[in-house]
Amino acid sequence: MSINSQPWRVSLSDIDIGEAEANAAAAVIRERWLTMGPRTREFEAQFAQMHGSTPETPLHAIAVTNCTAALHLAYAALGIGAGDEVIMPAMTFVATANMAVALGARPVFADIASETEPTIDPAHIEALITPLTKAIVAVHFAGYASRMDEICAIAARHDLPVVEDCAHAPGVPYKDGYLGALGAAGCFSFFSNKNMTTGEGGLILTGDEARGETLGLLRSHGMTSGTWKRHNERPQSYDVVMAGFNYRTDEIRSAIGLVQLAKLLDNNAKRAAVTARYRENLRDYDGAQVAFEGYEGESSHHILPLLVDEPARRGCVVEALTDARVQTSHHYIPTHLFDFYRSEYGYGEGALPRTEAFSAREITLPMYPTLALDDVDFICNALRNS
Ligand SMILES: *Cc1c(COP(=O)(O)O)cnc(C)c1O
């Protein structure tokens, strides 16, 4: 099966992966140590370093099977459990909420700041805090930072931890630090359509040493000694100190991850140039605009969220782009409007007006580092003719 058989002139995303990753994976197989070992440790160390880890203020990185597992472990390590409330946006992938539900907690959805700034609204977070609130989750939608200064200040006032869902936002500086290193834990994804990929993969960052240790234990059954250690050291027993999971990664993915990590910042810069071209093209166009207009911080430019002027026009714009063989997507159907969240927690239309208005107008356009600027021009022309 070839992915070149797709019908699109411009597809939604593409991965930058090739011989270097193939060679790195092949080397692991030839060396015959497949499960977590030295490459995973190196990948974790380099990932932490890229996100601001220093000897004085070290970050602890725990590589896991995917970002869903990362969220599950981060929530579990913060003690989130039955009866707790976790405040989060609904403008996210459903994993953010599903993992709170998996622990018996109740997701409490906060609206976005505005339709042009579709990240969680700090004022709404504060209004939703109750004695049952156990944590706040910020999602850096499309790679743009949530208002972390305000969110962390609110969290500190109420003595609550902040989890960052950084699935869209690896390698993004924020003020003096990096996204994913600002709260109690940052959760990253290396799924195939993310800014860097290992096929499936994820990682948790934390600046808290004890929490890092707990996360490491939870990753592997709560066992005090891993397979690599048992393989290389004198025979020793192990203990189980908490009921954990198996969310381990492996050396093949870590080897691929090291190659991908080395390309990340370059590729993020290429994505920024693609976004700039879209904005330039659409500057004087009334029919649609790129989200986050006027945003001043850094971004990983994970996706290109376009806002059409009127919800009623969304369908025909999608159709015109499809006719021009431009693939589009939709980020996101708000989590609170999925059947499960309606029936289980009583959510429905009108609960989050800004989130719903944004979703009704949003079309995700093609975005990847090697997207030709000519293709961006082609897409924008098709858009203008819609
Ligand atoms: C992709 C994604 C996830 C889940 O990542 P996986 O690695 O696929 O489990 C979680 N949150 C957001 C915002 C995502 O985009």
Side-chain angles (χ1 to χ4, degrees), residues 65-71 91-96 139-141 165-168 187-194 200-202 302 331-332:
T65 42
N66 54 58
C67 183
T68 306
L71 290 162
M91 186 42 59
T92 180
F93 183 60
V94 70
T96 317
V139 179
H140 305 307
F141 180 83
D165 181 333
C166 293
H168 295 189
C187 300
F188 294 84
S189 174
F190 310 130
F191 183 63
S192 302
N193 63 8
K194 301 289 163 51
E200 296 274 0
H302 171 55
H331 291 79
Y332 287 100

Side-chain angles (χ1 to χ4, degrees), residues 6 85 98 271 276 337:
Q6 46 95 351
E85 295 178 354
N98 277 352
R271 287 171 182 271
L337 296 183

Side-chain angles (χ1 to χ4, degrees), residues 236-283:
Q236 56 171 344
S237 185
Y238 64 85
D239 199 3
V240 171
V241 293
M242 57 186 76
F245 306 88
N246 176 0
Y247 282 158
R248 295 185 303 263
T249 187
D250 58 65
E251 291 290 272
I252 301 168
R253 282 190 267 181
S254 296
I256 295 169
L258 280 163
V259 181
Q260 287 277 302
L261 191 59
K263 301 179 185 175
L264 175 66
L265 299 184
D266 257 7
N267 278 340
N268 283 358
K270 287 179 185 161
R271 287 171 182 271
V274 171
T275 300
R277 185 71 158 222
Y278 273 112
R279 288 197 195 281
E280 218 172 278
N281 260 298
L282 299 175
R283 183 147 296 142

Side-chain angles (χ1 to χ4, degrees), residues 138-203:
V139 179
H140 305 307
F141 180 83
Y144 298 80
S146 306
R147 295 190 192 174
M148 291 305 291
D149 281 357
E150 290 170 63
I151 294 167
C152 290
I154 291 165
R157 262 204 308 282
H158 296 269
D159 198 20
L160 291 168
V162 178
V163 174
E164 296 176 80
D165 181 333
C166 293
H168 295 189
V172 181
Y174 181 86
K175 309 266 165 96
D176 301 331
Y178 282 84
L179 298 185
L182 305 170
C187 300
F188 294 84
S189 174
F190 310 130
F191 183 63
S192 302
N193 63 8
K194 301 289 163 51
N195 285 39
M196 59 173 282
T197 182
T198 61
E200 296 274 0
L203 185 143

